[in-house]
Amino acid sequence: MNRTAKRRTLIAASASAALTASLLGATGAYGALNEPAAAAAPDIPVADVQQDLKELQSLAEANGGNRAHGQPGYKASIDFIKGKLDKAGFETKVQEFDEAGGTGYNLIADWPGGSADETVMAGSHLDSVESGPGINDNGSGSAGILEVALAVADAKLEPKKHLRFAWWGAEELGLVGSQHYVDSLGDETKKISTYLNFDMIGSPNAGHFVYDDDAAVQGVFKDYFKEKGIETETSSEVNGRSDHASFAAAGVTVGGTFTGAGDTMTEEQATKWEGKAGEAYDKCYHSECDDISNINEKALDLHTDGIAHAVWQLSS
């Protein structure tokens, strides 16, 4: 090839490279190529979640049969979860409060890194009622977010937003622990971009509900369940009844999933969810029989992976 031909070839190559760079820098489909896609969340082994629930069951059995506010089983539950998070590299702190003549505890766990001005939180209440060990309500949500937090550590995740996990005390007495935490933040609540709540995710006659709150957060969960072939319903049943209400009242965007409590499954729901019509989602709700045998492993697995999906997506 002669010198003139070479020059023409180089000019053409430069023009092609410039066009490619322009397209990669543009918005739309080409622009997406300029940013690395968010990593997919890992599958959370349900056996690990179940093992956590067995530990919580054992702690209840060793401490009067429950893990209620002011009882030794609750503090033992806090210590158990804190120990796993400390070992995984989280920055943890225990926040104390007084309620009904007893000391309550919130456990807060921060994953280092990410913008503290945009914090994504995932939380659940850890206390049971006094009548039983509280394995579905709410060992299930507590164990689910614990294993997602440990997966964050295993992946050495470097999210753009800061990640924080929390376990609340005295929810069964009226959202006391989460409200105490929100009150302690003051204007710092403005730095929480999203709070996700998980209260009962392993109900035996499981429904598949998405909190009836922010549409964008709903979409994250609905898309996940749709990919799994599961039809969801938005639920107003939990509005004001779990810890997300403390955050929503402070102006924080909230969301979450739920498998049902003491209400009855309809015929239509039973058909689409392969459940039992006319029976409660959880017949052991707030009862002594809410133990390790009161868990739907398939629902627990599905919703725990949904937590991971939302945490990875919303913090990226």
Side-chain angles (χ1 to χ4, degrees), residues 176-242:
V176 179
S178 58
Q179 189 61 59
H180 177 78
Y181 175 76
V182 170
D183 290 345
S184 74
L185 290 180
D187 288 342
E188 292 293 301
T189 56
K190 296 176 182 177
K191 295 183 179 181
I192 301 174
S193 60
T194 312
Y195 172 75
L196 304 174
N197 195 65
F198 302 96
D199 189 349
M200 303 177 66
I201 61 169
S203 303
N205 193 29
H208 302 291
F209 298 101
V210 174
Y211 284 18
D212 187 14
D213 289 286
D214 183 78
V217 178
Q218 278 186 42
V220 171
F221 287 113
K222 287 181 177 180
D223 289 348
Y224 161 78
F225 282 105
K226 186 177 181 179
E227 288 179 1
K228 301 296 182 181
I230 302 294
E231 185 179 351
T232 58
E233 293 183 9
T234 53
S235 174
S236 58
E237 180 184 351
V238 291
N239 285 355
R241 292 180 55 188
S242 195

Side-chain angles (χ1 to χ4, degrees), residues 66-122:
N66 67 58
R67 300 179 303 98
H69 166 76
Q71 302 301 315
Y74 180 73
K75 183 57 166 60
S77 299
I78 285 283
D79 293 342
F80 161 64
I81 291 178
K82 184 178 185 298
K84 297 194 79 168
L85 294 165
D86 287 341
K87 186 176 180 180
F90 280 83
E91 298 173 358
T92 64
K93 66 178 180 180
V94 176
Q95 183 183 51
E96 294 188 12
F97 58 89
D98 295 321
E99 178 65 22
T103 301
Y105 305 94
N106 293 327
L107 173 61
I108 313 299
D110 286 275
W111 181 242
S115 172
D117 290 331
E118 291 185 288
T119 295
V120 173
M121 288 190 71

Side-chain angles (χ1 to χ4, degrees), residues 14-300:
S14 298
S16 177
L19 177 60
T20 301
S22 176
L23 289 172
L24 289 174
T27 58
Y30 286 106
L33 298 174
N34 202 32
E35 291 289 336
D43 179 77
I44 308 298
V46 71
D48 293 348
V49 187
Q50 286 279 46
Q51 183 58 45
D52 294 334
L53 293 179
K54 290 175 184 177
E55 293 287 347
L56 293 174
Q57 172 87 35
S58 296
L59 293 173
E61 291 173 351
N63 290 281
N66 67 58
R67 300 179 303 98
H69 166 76
Q71 302 301 315
Y74 180 73
K75 183 57 166 60
S77 299
I78 285 283
D79 293 342
F80 161 64
I81 291 178
K82 184 178 185 298
K84 297 194 79 168
L85 294 165
D86 287 341
K87 186 176 180 180
F90 280 83
E91 298 173 358
T92 64
K93 66 178 180 180
V94 176
Q95 183 183 51
E96 294 188 12
F97 58 89
D98 295 321
E99 178 65 22
T103 301
Y105 305 94
N106 293 327
L107 173 61
I108 313 299
D110 286 275
W111 181 242
S115 172
D117 290 331
E118 291 185 288
T119 295
V120 173
M121 288 190 71
S124 68
H125 77 87
L126 184 56
D127 62 316
S128 72
V129 293
E130 291 191 358
S131 58
I135 298 305
N136 187 36
D137 184 19
N138 183 36
S140 61
S142 294
I145 68 168
L146 171 60
E147 289 304 323
V148 171
L150 296 178
V152 166
D154 286 343
K156 296 181 173 57
L157 192 64
E158 297 181 357
K160 292 180 181 177
K161 296 180 182 179
H162 184 66
L163 272 177
R164 181 176 297 152
F165 296 84
W167 290 261
W168 310 118
E171 186 270 357
E172 299 290 4
L173 301 185
L175 319 184
V176 179
S178 58
Q179 189 61 59
H180 177 78
Y181 175 76
V182 170
D183 290 345
S184 74
L185 290 180
D187 288 342
E188 292 293 301
T189 56
K190 296 176 182 177
K191 295 183 179 181
I192 301 174
S193 60
T194 312
Y195 172 75
L196 304 174
N197 195 65
F198 302 96
D199 189 349
M200 303 177 66
I201 61 169
S203 303
N205 193 29
H208 302 291
F209 298 101
V210 174
Y211 284 18
D212 187 14
D213 289 286
D214 183 78
V217 178
Q218 278 186 42
V220 171
F221 287 113
K222 287 181 177 180
D223 289 348
Y224 161 78
F225 282 105
K226 186 177 181 179
E227 288 179 1
K228 301 296 182 181
I230 302 294
E231 185 179 351
T232 58
E233 293 183 9
T234 53
S235 174
S236 58
E237 180 184 351
V238 291
N239 285 355
R241 292 180 55 188
S242 195
D243 294 294
H244 63 291
S246 300
F247 290 84
V252 177
T253 297
V254 301
T257 69
F258 173 58
T259 54
D263 287 351
T264 301
M265 182 176 286
T266 67
E267 290 279 357
E268 182 183 359
Q269 290 172 333
T271 298
K272 68 184 176 184
W273 291 331
E274 300 180 350
K276 296 179 181 179
E279 294 189 10
Y281 303 110
D282 183 357
K283 63 184 179 181
C284 290
Y285 177 58
H286 283 186
S287 300
E288 183 179 0
C289 59
D290 185 11
D291 56 23
I292 195 66
S293 67
N294 192 45
I295 290 292
N296 180 327
E297 185 173 280
K298 184 177 179 180
L300 182 70

